[in-house]
């Protein structure tokens, strides 16, 4: 079972990297760009075969290590 | 005489400067402790997490080190009232380990900042600052990519309400300004204390300023404060 953990800076947490990407895109001539946020994606291969349990497990991993919930939110997708 | 131990993680690189600073102030060399140890040696007064790039800053600065076996022992040591100092990457590890609140984000200007900074001592009645005067400003050095202190408004209010902000970035004259707060830290916070005042985390490197022959001794009082706290122990 594969789990994809998407980690994003929480709303309200300054994301200077996202801002810089936005500025760079404007510099390239792209117009109409609103807020840009940059996060990370972590893919996990899990031995677990039950999707609900796999999701639960990946969420536990995200809470304990993959995301710092002081500054980041996360979402788990199972495939 | 103070018994200190410095934890070595793979990627820690400021342990020798830290050891010199502690030895100079306390007259005894600190022990070097490997991160794989599940227990700390008995009789330690102070555990130090020195600067560097533990585990290559993978995932987030300090995230991997916070999960290492020795950090469980450090957490228990602090729980029993032990003193812990975290400098730079050590501060990041303390936050990741949940021993201090908040987190260190990427510097607001998106650059690694390696330069002098000035800090104002917000209280002098702690084991780390008793050789400073309250309101005293001292020069030190910052060298970090992720030193932008962040916590939610409620946590910041609690830190200020409980007087747990130990150090703030200021101008040499002691003024809090946006320009003096190079990394963008919330409320110009450079260092914070635990509620029992025995855990201090700060981003700058006072261990850089302990030798008159190199860069002056403006950081030495921090280590002398610790030595004084344990002088009779």
């Amino acid at each position: 079972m594969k789990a994809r953990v998407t980690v994003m800076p929480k709303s309200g947490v300054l994301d200077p990297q996202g801002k810089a990407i936005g500025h760079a895109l404007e510099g390239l001539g792209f117009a109409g760009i609103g807020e840009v946020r940059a996060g990370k994606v972590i893919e996990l291969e899990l031995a677990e075969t039950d999707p609900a349990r796999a999701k639960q497990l990946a969420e536990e991993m995200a809470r304990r290590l993959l995301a710092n919930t002081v500054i980041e939110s996360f979402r788990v997708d199972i495939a | 005489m103070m018994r200190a131990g410095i934890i070595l993680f793979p990627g820690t690189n400021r342990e020798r400067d830290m050891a010199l600073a502690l030895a100079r102030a306390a007259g005894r060399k600190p022990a070097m402790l490997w991160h794989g140890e599940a227990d700390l040696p008995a009789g330690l007064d102070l555990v130090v997490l020195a600067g560097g790039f533990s585990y290559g800053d993978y995932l987030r600065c300090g995230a991997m080190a916070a999960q290492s076996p020795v950090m469980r022992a450090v957490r228990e040591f602090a729980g029993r009232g032990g003193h812990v100092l975290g400098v730079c990457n050590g501060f990041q590890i303390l936050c990741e380990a949940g021993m201090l609140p908040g987190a260190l984000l990427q510097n607001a200007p998106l650059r690694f900042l390696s330069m002098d900074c000035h800090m104002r001592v917000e209280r002098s009645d702690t084991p780390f600052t008793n050789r400073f005067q309250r309101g005293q400003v001292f020069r030190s050095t910052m060298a970090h990519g992720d030193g932008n202190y962040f916590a939610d408004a409620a946590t910041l209010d609690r830190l200020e309400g409980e007087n747990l902000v130990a150090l703030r970035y200021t101008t040499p004259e002691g003024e809090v300004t946006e320009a003096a707060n190079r990394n963008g830290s919330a409320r110009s916070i450079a260092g914070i204390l635990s509620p029992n005042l025995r855990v201090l985390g700060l981003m700058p490197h006072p261990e850089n300023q302990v030798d008159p022959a190199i860069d002056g001794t403006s950081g030495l009082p921090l280590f002398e404060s610790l030595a004084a706290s344990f002088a009779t122990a």
Side-chain angles (χ1 to χ4, degrees), chain A residues 40 42 65-68 72, chain B residues 10-11 52-67 89 92-93 96 146:
Chain A
K40 63 186 92 154
I42 298 158
L65 177 67
L66 305 179
N68 178 344
E72 295 168 326
Chain B
F53 302 86
S54 58
Y55 298 88
D57 282 345
Y58 286 1
L59 192 63
R60 294 176 306 276
C61 302
M64 299 295 175
Q67 307 302 324
N89 190 222
Q92 295 165 337
I93 294 168
E96 280 285 344
D146 298 64

Side-chain angles (χ1 to χ4, degrees), chain B residues 19-39:
Chain B
L20 286 172
L22 290 164
R24 182 172 281 256
R28 175 188 275 166
K29 278 189 180 174
M32 292 291 182
L33 311 169
W34 188 237
H35 67 96
E37 301 289 336
D39 299 301

